[in-house]
Amino acid sequence: MQSTLVLAAFTTVCALALLAHSLVRRFVRDAVRRTALQVDLPLDEATDRLVVARFRRRKRWAGTGALVGGLLPLAFLLPGDDGAALLGSAGGDLRGYAVLLGFFAGTAAGLGLLAWRETTRPVDGPGPRVARASVPVVEDYVTPHERRGAWVLVGACVAVTAWAGLREGPGLPGALVALGIGLPVAAVVVTELLLRRLVAARQTAPTPLALAWDDVVRARTARDLVTVPLTAGAYLPLVITSRAESVGSLPDGVSLVVLLGLLVTAGVSVLLDPRGHVRRRLWPQPPAPSVAPPPVAPPSGPAPSPSGPSASGPSVPGPRPGAAGAL
């Protein structure tokens, strides 16, 4: 139990650090600047304020979910062996796994709740608006390997759980088997529903650059949603295989193979640059930042004739064709 408390203290410090990070504007601005370099998009002053505010909300929700998720398992494990009995005869060995699972699941749940809230976010402020001429699809925001990878991990988790639960021997606790099958399936189904709702939500912005950044933040939100089934499908097999090895339901080494497979999958995902996916799909040519026109001094000479060239005023280029149109 002492090691479990140490692990819970560590996850609590990590969650509090994430919450404190969201309160320091400079840290959030640095995160926005790094994202701007990764997706190769400029920032003007007005867009910067909107993006910083949405990044701050993301860190706040993730930190709150991590804090609650990391501490919640202790409410069931601290009272004694009764709470740990759900984990089986070797429940004490899995207390640390339960705390870590709560931490990661809480983070993913916090980001998922924020993603749901983003689907109901009203259009900010009055004034002229630009909107996308075509309707994006989920694949514009989430790379196929991440989305399909979540499905594969969920399927692998269900298969490993069924394999470990049906093998001869002491077997796995029924609660752990139900968790390994039900939680990942529910997570991937809810994620798919929320992804479709997120993409179908109304999307407008005051400038084409603001619309491009809204796409970037929306893609980040969509990837946060996919994190929920990815976390369940990646972490639960480690818990289940470790528990099955301890009771003899599975041969030793299976959990190590699962861990190595997850590490290789994560490395391939990073190499494929999922963060720049939305930029390549929706904004192959980035919009220019909005610049306020310089003040014009009144002419000292006679006023020009109304029929002269200045009567119609300068032509103002509109948004990039195919990307946005004026509302």
Side-chain angles (χ1 to χ4, degrees), residues 142-166:
V142 183
T143 58
H145 74 270
E146 284 184 307
R147 189 182 181 196
R148 305 296 188 271
W151 300 351
V152 171
L153 281 178
V154 167
C157 181
V158 172
V160 168
T161 302
W163 178 35
L166 294 176

Side-chain angles (χ1 to χ4, degrees), residues 55-301:
F55 269 56
R56 175 176 291 178
R57 284 197 297 269
R58 181 180 183 273
K59 290 180 179 294
R60 188 180 301 126
W61 282 72
T64 302
L67 182 63
V68 175
L71 294 178
L72 188 60
L74 296 181
F76 299 94
L77 301 179
L78 281 180
D81 294 334
D82 293 339
L86 292 174
L87 303 177
S89 57
D93 298 333
L94 295 179
R95 285 182 171 131
Y97 282 112
V99 172
L100 279 179
L101 178 60
F103 175 78
F104 290 117
T107 304
L111 294 172
L113 288 173
L114 177 61
W116 174 82
R117 186 172 180 267
E118 286 286 321
T119 64
T120 62
R121 183 176 60 89
V123 177
D124 298 322
R129 296 287 169 187
V130 293
R132 187 172 305 284
S134 58
V135 179
V137 294
V138 175
E139 285 75 14
D140 291 327
Y141 296 105
V142 183
T143 58
H145 74 270
E146 284 184 307
R147 189 182 181 196
R148 305 296 188 271
W151 300 351
V152 171
L153 281 178
V154 167
C157 181
V158 172
V160 168
T161 302
W163 178 35
L166 294 176
R167 282 180 62 89
E168 296 181 359
L172 293 175
L176 193 58
V177 174
L179 185 70
I181 294 177
L183 181 61
V185 173
V188 77
V189 171
V190 173
T191 295
E192 285 297 319
L193 294 176
L194 285 178
L195 281 174
R196 286 171 170 77
R197 177 167 177 168
L198 177 67
V199 173
R202 185 182 179 191
Q203 184 186 30
T204 61
T207 64
L209 180 61
L211 185 62
W213 269 103
D214 188 76
D215 281 329
V216 171
V217 177
R218 178 176 283 198
R220 198 179 184 97
T221 303
R223 294 186 66 223
D224 290 340
L225 278 174
V226 176
T227 301
V228 178
L230 281 174
T231 300
Y235 191 77
L236 279 175
L238 293 177
V239 177
I240 290 168
T241 53
S242 297
R243 176 70 175 87
E245 288 175 359
S246 67
V247 299
S249 295
L250 290 179
D252 293 339
V254 175
S255 59
L256 180 60
V257 173
V258 172
L259 177 61
L260 291 176
L262 294 175
L263 292 176
V264 171
T265 303
V268 172
S269 176
V270 171
L271 292 176
L272 292 176
D273 187 22
R275 294 181 179 180
H277 174 74
V278 64
R279 169 76 161 70
R280 294 187 296 268
R281 287 282 298 232
L282 297 179
W283 296 93
Q285 296 297 326
S290 301
V291 179
V296 179
S300 57

